[in-house]
């Protein structure tokens, strides 16, 4: 729009005026019509047209830069997402099963007298924390709530609060 306006300015304006004129000496009236047109000998508005053209080009370049930046950010986010999905798959396919196997092995070793109970509790805590990473909600039923030691329940609630996981107690969930 700006460029079109500047191009239009190089065409001179035509001015036409007209009206009634009264002559005092002769007490007569006459209709007068006059016109003017500027001759663009020195001012073709090249400067205004050039500035408007530069503004249009600058806007195109800025738009292209913005689009390129947007595409680059999108590609970076896609790469980041792919990496996160790979980590999640690794976690689900490798770490969680290994954590469960380790916990079961330590429990077996404890039953066989090959390790102490603190090692079992430590392995259980690690296994529980690993599983908590995949959890959105913890429900304590009457049955499980009554069987678990209060210290363990307190730790579960504290870990859940730290990870913003909702915890509820439901007397109907055990049935």
């Amino acid at each position: 729009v700006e460029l079109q306006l500047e191009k239009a300015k190089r065409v001179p304006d035509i001015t036409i005026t007209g009206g009634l004129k009264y002559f005092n000496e002769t007490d007569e009236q006459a209709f007068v019509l006059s016109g003017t047109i500027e001759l663009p000998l020195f001012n073709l508005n090249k400067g205004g047209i050039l500035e408007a053209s530069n503004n249009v080009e600058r806007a195109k370049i800025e738009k292209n830069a913005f689009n390129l930046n947007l595409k680059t950010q999108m590609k970076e986010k896609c790469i980041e997402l792919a990496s996160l999905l790979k980590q999640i798959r690794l976690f689900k396919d490798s770490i969680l099963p290994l954590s469960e196997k380790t916990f079961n092995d330590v429990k077996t070793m404890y039953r066989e007298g090959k390790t102490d109970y603190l090692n079992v509790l430590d392995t259980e805590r690690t296994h529980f924390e690993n599983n908590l990473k995949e959890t959105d909600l913890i429900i304590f039923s009457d049955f499980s709530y009554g069987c678990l030691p209060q210290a363990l329940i307190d730790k579960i609630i504290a870990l859940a609060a730290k990870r913003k996981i909702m915890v509820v107690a439901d007397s109907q969930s055990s049935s």
Side-chain angles (χ1 to χ4, degrees):
V1 175
E2 183 183 343
L3 181 59
Q4 291 171 344
L5 178 65
E6 292 299 327
K7 283 182 178 179
K9 284 182 182 178
R10 72 180 171 188
V11 177
D13 291 333
I14 298 173
T15 306
I16 298 176
T17 56
L20 216 52
K21 186 170 185 179
Y22 178 73
F23 297 100
N24 281 334
E25 300 91 28
T26 59
D27 197 28
E28 292 180 355
Q29 295 179 350
F31 184 75
V32 180
L33 183 65
S34 68
T36 59
I37 184 167
E38 295 177 16
L39 295 177
L41 299 175
F42 301 108
N43 183 10
L44 297 176
N45 200 25
K46 289 182 182 178
I49 292 171
L50 181 63
E51 183 181 353
S53 295
N54 289 340
N55 288 342
V56 168
E57 282 302 312
R58 187 178 322 113
K60 286 179 184 177
I61 290 169
E62 288 174 0
K63 177 185 172 192
N64 290 339
F66 177 78
N67 287 338
L68 182 63
N69 186 29
L70 203 58
K71 287 177 184 178
T72 302
Q73 287 179 4
M74 200 154 178
K75 285 181 182 179
E76 288 172 356
K77 293 299 177 186
C78 285
I79 290 169
E80 189 178 321
L81 179 62
S83 174
L84 286 172
L85 289 172
K86 187 177 179 181
Q87 288 176 9
I88 289 170
R89 267 187 254 112
L90 175 70
F91 184 78
K92 284 183 175 181
D93 297 344
S94 300
I95 295 173
L96 281 180
L98 183 62
S99 175
E100 186 169 351
K101 182 184 179 323
T102 303
F103 178 54
N104 289 333
D105 290 349
V106 170
K107 284 192 302 187
T108 302
M109 289 171 58
Y110 174 73
R111 287 187 202 110
E112 294 171 354
K114 295 179 181 176
T115 189
D116 59 6
Y117 192 63
L118 284 175
N119 197 16
V120 173
L121 291 177
D122 187 45
T123 307
E124 181 181 39
R125 180 187 51 79
T126 303
H127 178 60
F128 181 75
E129 286 177 358
N130 284 336
N131 279 301
L132 237 146
K133 291 176 185 173
E134 292 293 307
T135 304
D136 296 321
L137 172 68
I138 297 174
I139 300 175
F140 285 107
S141 68
D142 280 348
F143 176 74
S144 66
Y145 195 76
C147 295
L148 297 173
Q150 187 61 43
L152 179 60
I153 292 170
D154 293 341
K155 286 181 183 178
I156 291 170
I157 291 171
L159 279 171
K162 183 177 174 182
R163 290 184 170 83
K164 295 183 176 29
I165 298 171
M166 189 173 7
V167 178
V168 295
D170 180 14
S171 61
Q172 302 300 315
S173 65
S174 61
S175 24

